[in-house]
Amino acid sequence: MRLGSLCAVWVCAITVSVTPETVRAQSPSVAKAAALASVERQGTELVAMSDQIWGFAELALRETRSAALLADYAERQGFTVERGVAGMPTAFVATYGSGRPVIGIIGEYDALPGISQTASTTRQPVVEGAAGQGCGHNLFGPASLGAAVAVKDLLAAGRLRGTVKYYGTPAEEKIGGKIYMIREGFFRDADVVLAWHPGDETKAEHEGFQANVQFVVEFRGRTAHAAGDPWNGRSAADAAELYTHGINMLREHVKPTVRMHYTVERAGDVPNVVPDYARVLTWVRDSKRAGVDTVFARVQDVAKGAALMAGVEHTLSVQTGFTDMNILESGSRLLHENLTRIGPPTYTAEEEAFARALQQATGKDAVGMKAAVLPLKPIAADPPGGSSDVGDVSWVAPTLHFTLATAPKDVPWHAWPVVAASGMSIGHKGMMYAASTLAATAVDLLEDTSVREAIRAEWAEKTKGVSYKWMVPDGPPPVPGR
Ligand SMILES: [Zn+2]
């Protein structure tokens, strides 16, 4: 992408997309204008980093080059960088400034397996079977860092006071790196944490994420010749079948917000041997953590019952669990103001054609890009499908979150069309819009004590009497090769 065309659109949008109902929007501060200019100045480098991370497409806890790229950039910009935090070589924290307030900005960069794809409108892997950025995390990491650097520029110039922290958070797609960072005390010292996520529309958070728990059930029986002496066998595969059948019976008696999914990872090798080992990976989700806890207790009984019926032993090991999001109305209002004031990018005819082609290729309505900011809505009782470890962060620090269009409306997520859009100008434009929104919001939080205090007061109210506890198991994070 050529940055020139992007900047033109973007600066123009800053001046014309003013909404009359927001006073702050009508008079952006000098500091905010400077922060937006800083993001703009970094455009070429942010795009280059997003393309490199897109190309690396590194899986959870293997994001070595992606994390190094971002951490090196932060270091060049004068941040103090602590690498390999919380027992994860690919987690890092970059800090600039001193004292309060402390504004944290979250970045992610991990990819998903098996969805390698070129930046084109037909299914075409770069490397067959390799990983791809099907959640747009190659945009997430650099956008957030660009915003952190914009804040740093203002702190360095003495125009703002306080501290900015960039959290480089690995493995969102698998174990939830942020949860291990929370366990080690990160995020808690931030006055406010900012995060965003690539999506197919643009909106300040009002829905949040589902809570979930992810666990492995293993059954161990006794092998035997399946024809010679099956009466001597105790089949772990039978137990796995009974277990999954039990889950499917339970499905009718849980709330509509509950989701249960599993994959049978092992259940024997050949039919003429009674399998003595089976392994089922299971996820349980619900709108809130309490709902997950209730269903999880029943699923644990199902596993116990299945083992009893098959006459085998079983173990259940929790791998991780994500918590629902504590959404702050005051925070979403602030994000909405900045999203609206900055305004979405405009797209070229080629980009719109690219978007429609991806929609056609996946059986969706060919409506093109839908990046306009959606109206601010009241907080929804139940989030739509999907979980994020940003939810956990929202219980240890006030966390503001928004979604921003980086891909065509309705194309399948965690799939090749998102990889394609994340590796070209549609994704880049979304990334720059996200960086600007984060930077502008951070400036508001640093400049305006009353806004910051209102957010903190709402958070204090919503966390009163709540004791957050992470769901990751004791011991170090499961870093590959350790
Ligand atoms: Zn994601």
Side-chain angles (χ1 to χ4, degrees):
M1 184 201 61
R2 294 180 62 81
L3 189 66
S5 59
L6 176 70
C7 295
V9 167
W10 181 35
V11 170
C12 168
I14 290 169
T15 51
V16 298
S17 299
V18 172
T19 52
E21 71 275 17
T22 54
V23 173
R24 206 178 0 254
Q26 286 172 332
S27 53
S29 73
V30 176
K32 194 182 282 191
L36 294 174
S38 168
V39 170
E40 188 180 327
R41 266 198 312 278
Q42 298 175 69
T44 307
E45 283 181 281
L46 298 181
V47 167
M49 284 195 288
S50 80
D51 283 350
Q52 281 176 276
I53 295 170
W54 184 87
F56 297 153
E58 294 169 303
L59 292 173
L61 297 177
R62 297 177 188 269
E63 316 94 327
T64 317
R65 287 177 293 172
S66 305
L69 186 71
L70 294 166
D72 290 349
Y73 182 75
E75 217 159 54
R76 283 202 304 280
Q77 296 287 336
F79 282 72
T80 302
V81 180
E82 200 186 341
R83 299 176 195 240
V85 301
M88 295 174 289
T90 53
F92 69 96
V93 179
T95 307
Y96 189 93
S98 61
R100 303 211 82 88
V102 178
I103 303 301
I105 308 180
I106 285 174
E108 294 175 7
Y109 27 83
D110 61 327
L112 287 152
I115 52 170
S116 170
Q117 168 67 29
T118 57
S120 66
T121 57
T122 54
R123 180 76 177 107
Q124 199 172 43
V126 179
V127 179
E128 190 71 55
Q133 288 286 359
C135 206
H137 293 180
N138 64 303
L139 309 168
F140 191 161
S144 298
L145 185 52
V149 168
V151 175
K152 181 274 304 183
D153 286 347
L154 289 164
L155 295 172
R159 294 165 82 168
L160 292 174
R161 288 153 71 113
T163 304
V164 62
K165 273 177 192 273
Y166 176 87
Y167 298 101
T169 66
E172 191 277 331
E173 300 291 3
K174 208 166 178 193
I175 51 118
K178 294 174 200 65
I179 308 173
Y180 284 94
M181 292 172 78
I182 290 170
R183 203 176 69 170
E184 299 305 313
F186 291 97
F187 303 111
R188 290 178 197 271
D189 63 335
D191 285 82
V192 180
V193 173
L194 300 176
W196 73 289
H197 202 285
D200 67 350
E201 53 189 21
T202 302
K203 61 189 179 201
E205 191 60 76
H206 69 92
E207 293 172 316
F209 309 111
Q210 289 174 308
N212 74 21
V213 58
Q214 308 174 22
F215 53 96
V216 172
V217 178
E218 291 171 289
F219 297 103
R220 288 183 172 82
R222 193 165 67 224
T223 190
H225 193 289
D229 64 337
W231 48 87
N232 284 324
R234 297 290 179 269
S235 171
D238 287 355
E241 269 193 72
L242 290 162
Y243 168 66
T244 56
H245 188 61
I247 287 177
N248 292 323
M249 294 281 102
L250 180 61
R251 224 177 269 288
E252 195 182 346
H253 308 289
V254 295
K255 291 190 174 159
T257 48
V258 171
R259 299 284 182 275
M260 297 182 284
H261 8 259
Y262 55 81
T263 49
V264 179
E265 296 189 320
R266 284 282 304 278
D269 300 310
V270 285
N272 61 352
V273 176
V274 174
D276 62 357
Y277 179 76
R279 175 185 162 94
V280 186
L281 178 60
T282 315
W283 289 28
V284 172
R285 307 188 200 236
D286 198 0
S287 302
K288 305 279 181 246
R289 177 75 172 271
V292 168
D293 291 345
T294 304
V295 178
F296 183 39
R298 296 198 65 188
V299 173
Q300 289 180 72
D301 282 344
V302 170
K304 211 182 291 174
L308 189 64
M309 281 190 280
V312 304
E313 302 296 321
H314 88 292
T315 53
L316 188 149
S317 325
V318 172
Q319 293 186 319
T320 191
F322 291 11
T323 306
D324 50 284
M325 183 151 195
N326 182 10
I327 306 168
L328 304 175
E329 255 162 315
S330 49
S332 289
R333 249 192 329 268
L334 179 64
L335 289 171
H336 182 76
E337 282 175 19
N338 282 311
L339 282 167
T340 306
R341 192 180 60 75
I342 294 163
T346 53
Y347 298 98
T348 64
E350 290 76 23
E351 286 161 346
E352 286 290 356
F354 190 95
R356 287 195 302 272
L358 283 177
Q359 286 156 339
Q360 277 159 350
T362 51
K364 301 294 190 295
D365 291 343
V367 295
M369 291 302 296
K370 294 286 174 198
V373 187
L374 297 179
L376 191 58
K377 289 187 186 164
I379 295 171
D382 297 310
S387 308
S388 165
D389 54 3
V390 170
D392 289 77
V393 177
S394 73
W395 294 98
V396 298
T399 304
L400 315 190
H401 184 264
F402 62 96
T403 303
L404 191 144
T406 60
K409 182 80 183 124
D410 293 331
V411 295
W413 213 257
H414 282 194
W416 68 266
V418 175
V419 187
S422 302
M424 48 81 72
S425 56
I426 288 175
H428 299 153
K429 286 184 174 179
M431 174 184 70
M432 295 301 288
Y433 181 20
S436 304
T437 304
L438 292 164
T441 307
V443 169
D444 283 333
L445 292 166
L446 286 164
E447 273 194 323
D448 193 334
T449 311
S450 63
V451 169
R452 195 172 67 241
E453 289 311 318
I455 287 168
R456 289 199 58 83
E458 187 184 346
W459 182 76
E461 184 61 33
K462 287 184 167 166
T463 52
K464 202 186 281 174
V466 178
S467 66
Y468 165 80
K469 179 81 176 113
W470 52 82
M471 284 198 83
V472 294
D474 293 341
V479 176
R482 272 196 185 162

